[in-house]
């Protein structure tokens, strides 16, 4: 069974720090990976997608993919209280992790 | 730009009735629509994927005769929950992508369905 694993948290970081969110997946043939942010009671929004090994940066967000280790991560630099949400990792937009709850402490 | 709307935002229905949820892309052509379901404190589960003018592809375990998906135009997809039961109570979310940017994914605000 194809699985996506995330640390459920909660992960607490002080404002201005770097938040590191991790995700591992079981299907070695997976090609595309997605990070979503979901505020409580709201629908998710796409933060980043990545399909090549290495880093991909977009503003304060960096996604990192290591297919050999079957590992994908999301770094949030200069974390803000507004980043407090649950972050979902997904493979191919089909299989989702359970999400990591991030709290950014002012 | 890239706005997806859903209607209704919430609905309460009685067991055994059917409910239709509409998902519209307001300012782009949605070549692919995704329908997700999310139970409280759980993650998203993909129910089906549909391309305009084609039959939806349902994920394993999702009853296609119970969850009817229609993607008749490039701006509208509908999900009909037939003969709803209390266990169908959930948060239903649609999302869409457009042809030129297939990895960008835009979500509707979701529909909360409660079956009594």
């Amino acid at each position: 069974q194809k699985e996506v694993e995330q640390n459920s948290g909660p992960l607490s970081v002080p404002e201005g720090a770097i938040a590191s969110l991790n995700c591992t997946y079981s299907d070695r043939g997976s090609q595309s990976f997605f990070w979503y942010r979901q505020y409580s009671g709201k629908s998710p929004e796409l933060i980043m997608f990545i399909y090549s090994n290495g880093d991909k940066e977009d503003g304060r967000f960096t996604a990192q993919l290591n297919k050999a280790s079957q590992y994908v991560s999301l770094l949030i630099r200069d974390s803000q209280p507004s980043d407090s949400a649950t972050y979902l990792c997904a493979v191919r937009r089909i299989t989702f992790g359970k999400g990591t709850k991030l709290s950014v402490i002012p | 730009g890239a706005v997806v709307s859903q209607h209704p935002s919430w609905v309460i229905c009685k067991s055994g009735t059917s409910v239709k949820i509409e998902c519209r892309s307001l300012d782009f052509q949605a070549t692919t629509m995704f329908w997700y379901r999310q139970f409280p404190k759980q993650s998203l589960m993909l129910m089906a994927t549909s391309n305009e003018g084609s039959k939806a592809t349902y994920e394993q375990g999702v009853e296609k005769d119970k969850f009817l998906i229609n993607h008749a135009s490039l701006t509208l997809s509908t999900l009909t929950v037939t003969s709803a039961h209390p266990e169908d109570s959930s948060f239903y979310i649609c999302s869409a992508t457009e042809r030129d940017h297939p990895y960008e994914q835009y979500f509707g605000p979701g529909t909360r369905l409660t079956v009594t």
Side-chain angles (χ1 to χ4, degrees), chain A residues 1-5 23-27 30 91 95-97:
Chain A
Q1 186 174 355
K2 299 173 183 177
E3 294 182 346
V4 176
E5 299 286 342
C23 175
T24 58
Y25 58 94
S26 62
D27 184 4
S30 299
V91 172
T95 307
F96 286 73

Side-chain angles (χ1 to χ4, degrees), chain B residues 47-82:
Chain B
M47 299 176 68
T49 304
S50 70
N51 296 301
E52 188 265 339
S54 302
K55 289 185 178 180
T57 300
Y58 290 81
E59 294 299 304
Q60 189 173 10
V62 178
E63 301 174 58
K64 62 180 180 181
D65 294 331
K66 180 172 181 64
F67 299 99
L68 302 179
I69 292 172
N70 184 286
H71 190 173
S73 78
L74 284 172
T75 59
L76 174 64
S77 178
T78 60
L79 166 66
T80 301
V81 183
T82 63

Side-chain angles (χ1 to χ4, degrees), chain B residues 35-52:
Chain B
W35 284 96
Y36 296 94
R37 179 168 57 179
Q38 187 174 36
F39 292 108
K41 300 191 182 302
Q42 294 190 23
S43 192
L44 265 67
M45 187 195 83
L46 179 66
M47 299 176 68
T49 304
S50 70
N51 296 301
E52 188 265 339

Side-chain angles (χ1 to χ4, degrees), chain B residues 6-20:
Chain B
Q6 266 185 258
H7 179 80
S9 56
W10 60 270
V11 58
I12 301 173
C13 71
K14 292 188 176 181
S15 185
T17 61
S18 295
V19 174
K20 179 184 283 189

Side-chain angles (χ1 to χ4, degrees), chain A residues 6 31-32 34 36 38 40-46 49 51 88-89 92-99, chain B residues 6 34 36 38 41-46 49 59 91 93 97 102-110 112:
Chain A
Q6 291 182 256
Q31 296 294 320
S32 58
F34 300 79
Y36 304 89
Q38 186 174 27
S40 181
K42 304 294 185 182
S43 67
E45 59 181 313
L46 178 67
F49 60 86
Y51 44 80
L88 302 170
C89 168
R92 294 177 59 210
R93 291 180 286 219
I94 294 175
T95 307
F96 286 73
K98 293 184 178 181
Chain B
Q6 266 185 258
F34 303 84
Y36 296 94
Q38 187 174 36
K41 300 191 182 302
Q42 294 190 23
S43 192
L44 265 67
M45 187 195 83
L46 179 66
T49 304
E59 294 299 304
F91 190 36
I93 307 165
T97 64
Y103 285 103
E104 296 291 347
Q105 188 178 8
Y106 310 104
F107 285 82
R112 294 199 181 278

Side-chain angles (χ1 to χ4, degrees), chain A residues 79-92:
Chain A
S79 296
Q80 300 297 309
S82 58
D83 295 326
S84 298
T86 296
Y87 289 80
L88 302 170
C89 168
V91 172
R92 294 177 59 210

Side-chain angles (χ1 to χ4, degrees), chain B residues 18-37:
Chain B
S18 295
V19 174
K20 179 184 283 189
I21 301 170
E22 290 188 350
C23 177
R24 294 182 184 272
S25 58
L26 300 184
D27 51 4
F28 67 99
Q29 295 184 330
T31 48
T32 302
M33 290 273 198
F34 303 84
W35 284 96
Y36 296 94
R37 179 168 57 179

